[in-house]
Amino acid sequence: MEHIRTPKVENVRLVDRISSKKAALGTLYLTATHVIFVENAPDTRKETWILHSQISTIEKQATTATGCPLLIRCKNFQLLQLIIPQERDCHDVYISLIRLARPVKYEELYCFSFNPKLDREEREQGWMLIDLSEEYKRMGLPDNYWQLSDVNRDYRVCDSYPTELYVPRTATAHIIVGSSKFRSRRRFPVLSYYHKDNHVSICRSSQPLSGFSARCLEDEQMLQAIRKASPGSDFIYVVDTRPKLNAMANRAAGKGYESEDNYSNIKFQFIGIENIHVMRNSLQKMLEVCELKSPSVSDFLWGLENSGWLRHIKAIMDAGIFIAKAVSEEGASVLVHCSDGWDRTAQVCSVASLLLDPHYRTLKGFMVLIEKDWISFGHKFNHRYGNLDGDPKEISPVIDQFIECVWQLMEQFPCAFEFNERFLIHIQHHIYSCQFGNFLCNSQKERQELKIQERTYSLWAHLWKNRGDYLNPLFRDDPSQTQGTLHLPMTPCNFMYKFWSGMYNRFEKGLQPRQSVTDYLMAVKEETQQLEEELEALEERLEKIQKVQLNRTQVKSKQSEPSRHSGFSTSDNSTANTPQDYSGNMKSFPSRSPSQGDEDSALILTQDNLKSSDPDLSANSDQESGVEDLSCRSPSGGECVPSEDSGKDRDSDEAVFLTA
Amino acid sequence: MEFAELIKTPRVDNVVLHRPFYPAVEGTLCLTGHHLILSSRQDNTEELWLLHSNIDAIDKRFVGPLGTIIIKCKDFRIIQLDIPGMEECLNIASSIEALSTLDSITLMYPFFYRPMFEVIEDGWHSFLPEQEFELYSSATSEWRLSYVNKEFAVCPSYPPIVIVPKAIDDEALRKVATFRHGGRFPVLSYYHKKNGMVIMRSGQPLTGTNGRRCKEDEKLINATLRAGKRGYIIDTRPLNVAQQARAKGGGFEQEAHYPQWRRIHKSIERYHILQESLIKLVEACNDQTHNMDRWLSRLEASNWLTHIKEILTTACLAAQCLDREGASILIHGTEGTDSTLQVTSLAQIILEPRSRTIRGFEALIEREWLQAGHPFQQRCAQSAYCNSKQKWESPVFLLFLDSVWQILRQFPCSFEFNENLLIMLFEHAYASQFGTFLGNNESERCKLKLQQKTMSLWSWVNQPSELSKFTNPLFEANNLVIWPSVAPQSLQLWEGIFLRWNRSSKYLDEAYEEMVNIIEYNKELQAKVNILRRQLAELETEDGMQESP
């Protein structure tokens, strides 16, 4: 709390991003964990909550007649523009947030104070929900070819790897240690995914320290061992996910890539995925496009192209597709690496696994996939997502890209995934929120040292508890597409990759489809389930009554069934929405500013009610268009499905237009 | 003329048909007066049945004695026929060319087509202007039907019956017609029951350079305003274009002469600019060689989505004037037969729940496009593959359908129809066995005696068996105005039209099926539960009766 210079500023304006006409007047609060804006409008009192850890940049702009503008950009792509009347207050808020958004110790992060009111046992069970040992067992391991190795016990060989690793049976400790010395950060080749149908594996590592000519017998033996572990194929692919030029440049630094001359029976392949710096800049450029105020179609498409973002997404997908084909069609094992083997390698291995194995397309399986390929194998969450104050050059949207790849697949295979878009969006949100301990730190070792599991809660348990919100109603667990590999065309079908406005413009509800097919179908399915139950009950009673009548025993059965609600039509009445600014710059319509309530809002923010409020609801943004929220279509009586961006957000525009 | 003269080789064996996503088929190619048919020899079932009028362009190539004809269709499909024998190939190619470009309408297939289905409801009488007017007349007495154009003498592109302000007599209408482009005097397009405001449409006023005015015109449109109210005139052209039009005798309403009206200029493109946009877009969609970036820039360069955005924005603006500002509007561009109709019809989609039903949408097409005199014959003569630059082709109607699709995508539960209805209308506007889209206006259709000689598209569509294909399972009546987003992030390429032949829709079809199953199963259970509940209630009252005495 010592970093908060001013806990409360009144008469702050929250500017609407889409139409500049409307700005909500309210009070801004700074707490130890959140920035909170509460609107004055007495009927709504809309609250916008932003976690400090979500704050990406804070920009203080030149003071104008109306006040001092403060722009807060969030890592979950929310953009908040505030106008603070006094320059001094703005400065205080700015300075406070600069510090609050860049914690220096893990202990400052929200997960250490977040308390979802679960007891110890529940917390421990939560952490046990996803179990990687179980996952390796599910893959059919250990078997005749692969065994669990204890070589990395106490992180002795590689401190960014987990302790539980699968390696070929023929790879001795000597080979492993030798190989690890020939690999960047000692990240030697280990198993990532095992395709038990044909004994083919996807392995991962970092780049070899080959320089221009160096060799390492043990490393060569390691690759041989991997090849021999899949007896059906006489070669393995070595996929270097970097552009060839980058890999070659690395040779000068004593690193590099495998030479087909030195390693027998490998087929070497470059797949040009750009590095984290290119990706960071690309996202930056794309977000600038998303931020444009009423862009033309050309501005938008040109900017999207110029950002290169979809080209990068496609490169990652192409790599994943290549590997999935090698495994399922050619029956050849693949060793994947990039430089350190924790960014592009994680992306590519997980995309390939997702294509190959329907298990990863289920809710739990997807959690397992992230736990395995990202968390356990030392993807540097802290550095990449800037949880603690650090080198800004380490920050890069690596897992965001993977999450987008999944969304692109969901668009192309609508029945293949058990989960829906909201699931992906919430995972993305929590990678940055630091509300749960799962994504803290840079490696398993660090997490163990911090005793994360004893001190924080697991996101997976939270998501699993609310799994009803995350189901894809179209998911089919029987037919062709969930069985085995998803087949994507290798030919360049560029038009398959689309801009994901549900993610990058997700706080601008006005830009999203106004009715959600997913929510509608979920409501129908829920009702169907109730109907099934009722049908059964009715049949039972009918049978009973018939029997009773047959026996002429006159027992009066009570009419207890309430009359059913008629379908889902009630909530449709709320399909109110307001037009956007269609008139452009023309002054044909006088702007109608909402009558601002001047009453002071007296909100008491105790730490207690802070904690009790569902943090998932904290991400409200002010929106242009108050369209009906179809998540309210739950047949059980209009109760809102909790979702982090629907929530209590009632639109006031309608009223403004009507009273005007 | 006999078709036989044009068909030099009616039949060739061992022709191989290539289509994307299908294995090649070898079979016998037959040419008839209106169709190109390929049937595989194995089981003698037709593999391909293509209307000549659907053919937009053909290319031919030779490798030795093997000829190849590439057929590019108006629905953007591209198929390839390998024909053994150079002479056969040349004959087939020249026959196709001749048969696909017949210049006499009466030789077109609709005049020969005999339906195989029983006509339950004759579509030619499904949407009579009198019936449409009845929907309004219950709400207002300020409007009347006028038969002034009975002989098509006042306005050749208007239908015989139009709706005009009650206060204006036919004599005044005749005078106004001389002051409006193509005789298209202002008529009622839509009456907003919620507040009594209206959308009118017309051609541009013929003010010319010396600012000609017409008292009757001013009186007519003022007659639509309530006391003390102002209205908006939406000119679909930018101001400079409207100004330039004066040199050719056209122009726009001077504020001095129409003081109660405020003019708004928008810029919806017309004619060849739209046609070129379509050609570029289809080219980009068919070119699979370029990389991701190239795709986006070609999509951008086509400007297609820019046109969609402009059209939708103007329609939203019109709807906003009506619903939010409580003001009546008059819409026109130059002729009032293209962009004007896009705007009036889309505004109705936004405002009027009825136009989002199947029947209501058909009525809208009939009223705002066919009877309103959109020159379908000219606009849809050629499609995206046509090389000869003719002046009149323009995908105006396709842009309208695409705009409807964009709204449908944003409000997937608010339309009674699905994407298939829009795709079907696109196909039939360009090539059809039905007479509905023949001719450029009602006058031409009358002369062609289409009602007597051809079948209406609506007769076919409105059969229950066909309707089910076009019904949106997610539909729930939504009586509110629906405001779409026109931001570029919200506009998407209509894959169902433009990538239809370039991507497999297998998984999307599966998803649609699954959706239908979920909803059907729900309805089935609902019905069962209702039956049981009734049975139970009956049994229980019987029970009660037995008990009471």
Side-chain angles (χ1 to χ4, degrees):
Chain A
M1 295 297 274
E2 72 270 25
H3 307 304
I4 301 171
R5 289 187 171 206
T6 171
K8 175 178 172 185
V9 186
E10 288 175 6
N11 295 319
V12 174
R13 276 168 198 279
L14 179 67
V15 178
D16 190 286
R17 284 263 308 116
I18 299 178
S19 89
S20 50
K21 289 173 190 168
K22 285 164 285 169
L25 194 67
T27 306
L28 186 72
Y29 298 88
L30 296 191
T31 76
T33 51
H34 288 83
V35 183
I36 305 158
F37 179 81
V38 184
E39 286 182 22
N40 286 351
D43 49 336
T44 52
R45 286 260 173 206
K46 210 185 98 182
E47 296 171 18
T48 306
W49 292 54
I50 308 275
L51 262 170
H52 295 326
S53 49
Q54 285 290 3
I55 295 175
S56 162
T57 62
I58 312 148
E59 200 182 307
K60 213 174 121 214
Q61 294 169 326
T63 310
T64 65
T66 51
C68 190
L70 192 70
L71 199 64
I72 303 175
R73 286 193 183 82
C74 297
K75 295 166 180 175
N76 61 1
F77 312 116
Q78 187 165 12
L79 185 66
L80 224 61
Q81 197 180 346
L82 300 165
I83 297 173
I84 299 173
Q86 298 294 323
E87 207 278 332
R88 191 173 37 84
D89 287 337
C90 184
H91 185 72
D92 282 348
V93 170
Y94 175 73
I95 296 293
S96 310
L97 285 180
I98 288 276
R99 176 59 187 85
L100 291 167
R102 295 185 187 21
V104 292
K105 294 197 306 281
Y106 282 119
E107 282 72 11
E108 290 178 44
L109 293 174
Y110 186 40
C111 57
F112 290 100
S113 59
F114 171 62
N115 180 2
K117 301 222 162 81
L118 297 176
D119 60 31
R120 191 167 145 238
E121 200 180 331
E122 284 173 300
R123 188 184 63 210
E124 280 168 10
Q125 275 177 348
W127 282 109
M128 288 190 312
L129 181 72
I130 300 303
D131 180 357
L132 286 188
S133 317
E134 279 299 313
E135 169 59 11
Y136 287 112
K137 230 179 263 167
R138 187 195 67 87
M139 286 192 221
L141 297 171
D143 69 354
N144 291 338
Y145 305 104
W146 294 86
Q147 65 180 6
L148 183 64
S149 165
D150 65 350
V151 69
N152 203 34
R153 197 183 334 127
D154 304 325
Y155 307 101
R156 281 186 305 202
V157 177
C158 174
D159 61 1
S160 61
Y161 266 179
T163 50
E164 188 180 1
L165 290 167
Y166 277 86
V167 293
R169 279 193 187 274
T170 54
T172 60
H174 172 74
I175 291 177
I176 293 171
V177 173
S179 165
S180 78
K181 287 180 179 154
F182 190 63
R183 294 272 166 183
S184 270
R185 299 178 195 270
R186 312 192 69 176
R187 292 170 66 93
F188 56 93
V190 293
L191 184 105
S192 162
Y193 174 69
Y194 191 55
H195 201 55
K196 65 179 171 217
D197 303 354
N198 55 0
H199 299 290
V200 174
S201 63
I202 300 176
C203 295
R204 57 185 289 170
S205 70
S206 60
Q207 64 186 337
L209 303 176
S210 54
F212 289 102
S213 58
R215 296 181 62 164
C216 168
L217 183 63
E218 290 87 354
D219 194 59
E220 288 164 28
Q221 287 172 331
M222 187 75 196
L223 266 64
Q224 284 286 5
I226 292 171
R227 182 182 63 77
K228 283 184 194 144
S230 58
S233 176
D234 50 11
F235 72 94
I236 63 167
Y237 279 108
V238 175
V239 171
D240 188 330
T241 57
R242 298 168 294 183
K244 189 173 181 185
L245 214 63
N246 301 21
M248 282 166 68
N250 262 300
R251 290 202 296 191
K255 298 163 187 170
Y257 52 91
E258 295 81 354
S259 156
E260 285 186 11
D261 299 336
N262 300 341
Y263 293 81
S264 46
N265 307 316
I266 66 163
K267 286 191 182 172
F268 186 85
Q269 179 81 37
F270 282 115
I271 294 182
I273 301 174
E274 299 290 349
N275 63 29
I276 57 168
H277 312 294
V278 174
M279 300 307 194
R280 179 177 58 245
N281 292 335
S282 174
L283 177 67
Q284 180 59 37
K285 281 188 189 162
M286 184 175 71
L287 293 179
E288 279 164 22
V289 176
C290 298
E291 271 184 36
L292 287 177
K293 244 185 177 170
S294 43
S296 71
V297 173
S298 290
D299 292 339
F300 177 73
L301 289 176
W302 190 85
L304 186 60
E305 182 202 295
N306 201 38
S307 76
W309 182 258
L310 287 174
R311 176 161 46 88
H312 300 315
I313 294 294
K314 183 172 183 298
I316 297 164
M317 287 298 302
D318 284 348
I321 294 167
F322 176 87
I323 292 164
K325 288 215 165 181
V327 169
S328 68
E329 288 169 25
E330 291 183 69
S333 291
V334 185
L335 170 66
V336 186
H337 69 74
C338 44
S339 297
D340 291 316
W342 51 40
D343 293 317
R344 287 168 274 201
T345 300
Q347 290 176 329
V348 167
C349 287
S350 45
V351 168
S353 304
L354 202 66
L355 290 169
L356 286 165
D357 194 331
H359 178 63
Y360 297 127
R361 293 172 226 142
T362 64
L363 268 168
K364 222 171 193 165
F366 191 68
M367 299 176 189
V368 166
L369 186 66
I370 291 183
E371 190 73 30
K372 173 170 71 76
D373 279 338
W374 296 81
I375 297 174
S376 89
F377 278 112
H379 176 64
K380 301 200 295 175
F381 282 93
N382 176 38
H383 285 167
R384 294 292 173 262
Y385 312 116
N387 298 339
L388 293 189
D389 193 24
D391 182 0
K393 287 206 157 50
E394 282 280 323
I395 291 174
S396 187
V398 181
I399 201 166
D400 301 68
Q401 288 183 315
F402 165 64
I403 290 173
E404 174 164 342
C405 286
V406 182
W407 177 80
Q408 300 280 1
L409 280 172
M410 280 163 52
E411 284 287 289
Q412 293 176 39
F413 298 94
C415 302
F417 292 83
E418 192 192 11
F419 47 86
N420 59 30
E421 181 183 17
R422 193 180 298 140
F423 185 59
L424 298 179
I425 289 174
H426 284 199
I427 290 176
Q428 194 273 351
H429 174 87
H430 285 297
I431 283 167
Y432 291 93
S433 76
C434 300
Q435 183 177 334
F436 298 93
N438 306 58
F439 306 113
L440 245 49
C441 306
N442 291 321
S443 66
Q444 290 292 56
K445 185 169 177 248
E446 284 182 37
R447 273 183 285 270
Q448 217 159 54
E449 286 164 3
L450 259 181
K451 299 196 183 353
I452 290 292
Q453 300 209 355
E454 290 155 43
R455 300 165 71 192
T456 72
Y457 294 86
S458 168
L459 170 66
W460 304 136
H462 173 77
L463 294 175
W464 186 248
K465 200 176 84 196
N466 299 312
R467 59 188 175 277
D469 298 341
Y470 302 123
L471 292 175
N472 169 18
L474 296 174
F475 177 59
R476 293 188 184 184
D477 43 13
D478 47 352
S480 57
Q481 53 174 303
T482 50
Q483 295 293 304
T485 312
L486 294 181
H487 290 287
L488 283 167
M490 268 304 263
T491 47
C493 286
N494 299 302
F495 41 69
M496 290 195 159
Y497 298 100
K498 291 182 283 199
F499 171 72
W500 189 8
S501 89
M503 175 62 96
Y504 304 106
N505 280 119
R506 76 186 178 101
F507 287 94
E508 277 152 89
K509 280 285 148 56
L511 302 183
Q512 311 304 328
R514 309 308 175 86
Q515 296 173 319
S516 154
V517 174
T518 299
D519 291 340
Y520 181 93
L521 291 176
M522 281 316 287
V524 171
K525 276 193 141 174
E526 201 179 312
E527 197 202 47
T528 300
Q529 205 183 337
Q530 290 173 5
L531 284 170
E532 275 171 344
E533 283 160 20
E534 189 183 344
L535 194 64
E536 206 176 311
L538 284 171
E539 273 167 351
E540 231 168 70
R541 267 178 53 199
L542 204 61
E543 207 177 315
K544 217 155 127 199
I545 288 179
Q546 279 166 338
K547 222 182 264 168
V548 165
Q549 286 197 331
L550 215 64
N551 296 344
R552 296 260 168 223
T553 353
Q554 304 211 335
V555 181
K556 191 180 179 185
S557 69
K558 260 190 181 163
Q559 175 90 23
S560 62
E561 202 62 40
S563 65
R564 280 192 56 85
H565 48 85
S566 56
F568 336 94
S569 51
T570 46
S571 53
D572 239 355
N573 296 336
S574 63
T575 319
N577 65 94
T578 53
Q580 293 187 344
D581 185 4
Y582 300 116
S583 50
N585 305 325
M586 253 168 351
K587 298 266 162 27
S588 49
F589 299 114
S591 79
R592 308 187 166 194
S593 64
S595 55
Q596 307 281 5
D598 288 320
E599 282 161 83
D600 179 30
S601 66
L603 179 83
I604 302 148
L605 289 165
T606 60
Q607 196 62 20
D608 197 49
N609 75 23
L610 250 182
K611 281 182 178 167
S612 64
S613 70
D614 185 350
D616 261 10
L617 293 171
S618 65
N620 287 332
S621 74
D622 184 56
Q623 276 124 28
E624 165 68 36
S625 184
V627 191
E628 106 267 43
D629 196 334
L630 270 169
S631 57
C632 298
R633 284 186 61 100
S634 137
S636 50
E639 183 191 336
C640 271
V641 176
S643 97
E644 68 184 47
D645 29 34
S646 61
K648 38 198 164 185
D649 173 39
R650 290 283 305 150
D651 195 80
S652 51
D653 292 356
E654 183 72 10
V656 171
F657 267 99
L658 294 178
T659 54
Chain B
M1 189 199 68
E2 283 293 321
F3 290 120
E5 293 168 21
L6 298 174
I7 304 171
K8 293 173 190 158
T9 305
R11 187 192 150 109
V12 189
D13 288 329
N14 303 322
V15 173
V16 181
L17 165 71
H18 301 272
R19 281 172 298 184
F21 303 108
Y22 287 95
V25 181
E26 191 182 327
T28 302
L29 181 73
C30 297
L31 286 189
T32 73
H34 294 103
H35 286 95
L36 179 153
I37 303 154
L38 186 120
S39 47
S40 78
R41 285 183 306 178
Q42 280 84 19
D43 45 11
N44 225 21
T45 53
E46 282 80 26
E47 298 286 347
L48 178 74
W49 188 279
L50 188 70
L51 262 180
H52 293 314
S53 56
N54 191 4
I55 296 173
D56 204 27
I58 65 167
D59 289 338
K60 42 188 186 289
R61 280 202 307 257
F62 293 95
V63 181
L66 182 75
T68 294
I69 300 178
I70 294 165
I71 298 179
K72 299 176 176 175
C73 301
K74 289 175 186 168
D75 59 14
F76 311 138
R77 174 172 32 165
I78 296 180
I79 57 175
Q80 182 186 326
L81 296 169
D82 294 340
I83 299 170
M86 189 182 284
E87 197 192 330
E88 283 85 352
C89 184
L90 282 172
N91 284 347
I92 294 284
S94 68
S95 304
I96 293 175
E97 233 155 328
L99 290 165
S100 62
T101 52
L102 297 173
D103 46 12
S104 168
I105 294 183
T106 51
L107 290 177
M108 304 286 274
Y109 187 49
F111 289 92
F112 298 82
Y113 170 71
R114 291 294 162 262
M116 302 294 282
F117 59 89
E118 193 198 341
V119 178
I120 304 161
E121 178 195 342
D122 184 355
W124 290 118
H125 305 298
S126 291
F127 307 100
L128 299 176
E130 291 91 338
Q131 289 167 359
E132 292 294 312
F133 180 65
E134 266 170 38
L135 293 172
Y136 297 140
S137 55
S138 61
T140 173
S141 55
E142 292 161 348
W143 299 84
R144 69 180 179 95
L145 287 175
S146 165
Y147 298 84
V148 69
N149 200 39
K150 203 165 49 198
E151 313 290 334
F152 305 106
V154 179
C155 172
S157 62
Y158 268 173
I161 307 171
V162 289
I163 306 173
V164 295
K166 196 165 228 166
I168 305 298
D169 62 23
D170 283 358
E171 202 40 53
L173 293 178
R174 283 194 188 90
K175 282 192 183 135
V176 177
T178 62
F179 182 66
R180 291 277 172 179
H181 193 116
R184 294 175 70 91
F185 54 88
V187 296
L188 183 81
S189 162
Y190 171 66
Y191 180 85
H192 197 42
K193 278 188 186 160
K194 181 175 151 191
N195 58 10
M197 295 299 127
V198 296
I199 299 176
M200 286 177 296
R201 51 176 160 75
S202 69
Q204 65 178 342
L206 303 174
T207 58
T209 40
N210 46 16
R212 210 180 124 213
R213 62 190 284 195
C214 172
K215 290 278 182 205
E216 287 79 5
D217 189 75
E218 292 158 25
K219 195 174 157 221
L220 190 161
I221 74 165
N222 283 337
T224 67
L225 290 178
R226 303 252 166 94
K229 282 286 212 174
R230 286 162 62 95
Y232 290 93
I233 295 172
I234 296 179
D235 192 326
T236 60
R237 307 162 294 179
L239 181 61
N240 64 326
V241 175
Q243 280 166 342
Q244 283 158 18
R246 288 189 297 197
K248 290 182 194 160
F252 52 88
E253 293 83 356
Q254 295 288 346
E255 246 142 61
H257 303 153
Y258 299 83
Q260 286 156 285
W261 296 80
R262 171 174 240 154
R263 216 176 56 244
I264 302 172
H265 288 276
K266 299 298 285 181
S267 45
I268 300 182
E269 290 293 353
R270 311 186 311 144
Y271 302 143
H272 65 279
I273 291 178
L274 301 180
Q275 184 69 12
E276 277 160 26
S277 172
L278 176 67
I279 291 171
K280 279 190 194 160
L281 177 66
V282 171
E283 241 173 47
C285 292
N286 285 339
D287 183 355
Q288 314 243 330
T289 60
H290 45 69
N291 62 27
M292 191 70 224
D293 284 353
R294 198 94 177 84
W295 157 246
L296 285 174
S297 58
R298 291 186 66 173
L299 182 61
E300 189 267 312
S302 79
N303 272 328
W304 185 262
L305 290 173
T306 302
H307 300 313
I308 295 283
K309 181 173 156 69
E310 195 59 47
I311 293 164
L312 271 175
T313 306
T314 309
C316 289
L317 180 70
Q320 204 175 12
C321 288
L322 224 66
D323 190 66
R324 298 288 163 147
E325 301 288 315
S328 285
I329 50 175
L330 169 67
I331 301 174
H332 67 74
T334 303
E335 290 92 346
T337 55
D338 295 286
S339 56
T340 303
L341 305 181
Q342 289 172 331
V343 175
T344 57
S345 51
L346 284 169
Q348 295 179 50
I349 296 278
I350 294 165
L351 292 167
E352 172 62 54
R354 193 173 87 94
S355 65
R356 305 193 288 260
T357 64
I358 293 178
R359 195 80 186 181
F361 189 67
E362 290 172 357
L364 183 78
I365 302 282
E366 184 71 34
R367 211 169 58 231
E368 289 301 299
W369 290 88
L370 291 162
Q371 303 202 13
H374 175 67
F376 277 98
Q377 191 75 37
Q378 290 178 345
R379 298 290 180 263
C380 302
Q382 299 266 251
S383 172
Y385 301 118
C386 141
N387 300 319
S388 62
K389 291 273 187 295
Q390 279 180 323
K391 203 174 151 194
W392 302 114
E393 281 99 32
S394 188
V396 175
F397 187 60
L398 177 58
L399 277 160
F400 159 71
L401 295 174
D402 195 335
S403 303
V404 176
W405 179 81
Q406 304 283 350
I407 306 177
L408 169 61
R409 204 189 68 83
Q410 294 185 28
F411 294 88
C413 308
S414 298
F415 287 78
E416 193 191 6
F417 53 88
N418 58 22
E419 180 183 12
N420 295 337
L421 183 75
L422 302 174
I423 296 173
M424 182 276 292
L425 287 171
F426 160 68
E427 289 173 336
H428 283 276
Y430 281 82
S432 178
Q433 65 269 44
F434 303 105
T436 299
F437 290 108
L438 291 180
N440 289 307
N441 49 51
E442 286 300 285
S443 159
E444 288 185 23
R445 286 183 201 110
C446 251
K447 285 188 199 112
L448 289 166
K449 296 196 167 57
L450 291 183
Q451 293 204 14
Q452 293 81 41
K453 293 183 171 173
T454 73
M455 178 66 57
S456 163
L457 173 67
W458 312 128
S459 306
W460 171 69
V461 175
N462 287 332
Q463 304 172 92
S465 59
E466 294 301 321
L467 274 180
S468 63
K469 288 182 227 161
F470 305 122
T471 306
N472 177 11
L474 300 171
F475 177 60
E476 286 206 338
N478 172 358
N479 284 321
L480 297 170
V481 176
I482 54 174
W483 299 107
S485 163
V486 296
Q489 289 96 319
S490 312
L491 302 178
Q492 285 197 356
L493 178 71
W494 187 8
E495 296 184 19
I497 283 278
F498 295 108
L499 301 178
R500 186 177 175 193
W501 313 104
N502 301 328
R503 57 134 166 81
S504 160
S505 62
K506 185 180 162 213
Y507 299 110
L508 301 179
D509 295 346
E510 249 179 52
Y512 187 81
E513 248 171 57
E514 187 65 33
M515 194 168 85
V516 172
N517 289 343
I518 290 171
I519 291 165
E520 289 299 312
Y521 179 56
N522 177 281
K523 284 185 182 154
E524 216 173 276
L525 279 182
Q526 187 82 66
K528 271 190 198 158
V529 164
N530 286 341
I531 291 171
L532 280 189
R533 247 191 255 149
R534 217 174 302 133
Q535 274 183 4
L536 205 61
E538 276 166 21
L539 281 175
E540 275 165 350
T541 41
E542 266 175 46
D543 243 16
M545 280 161 68
Q546 283 170 352
E547 204 179 1
S548 51

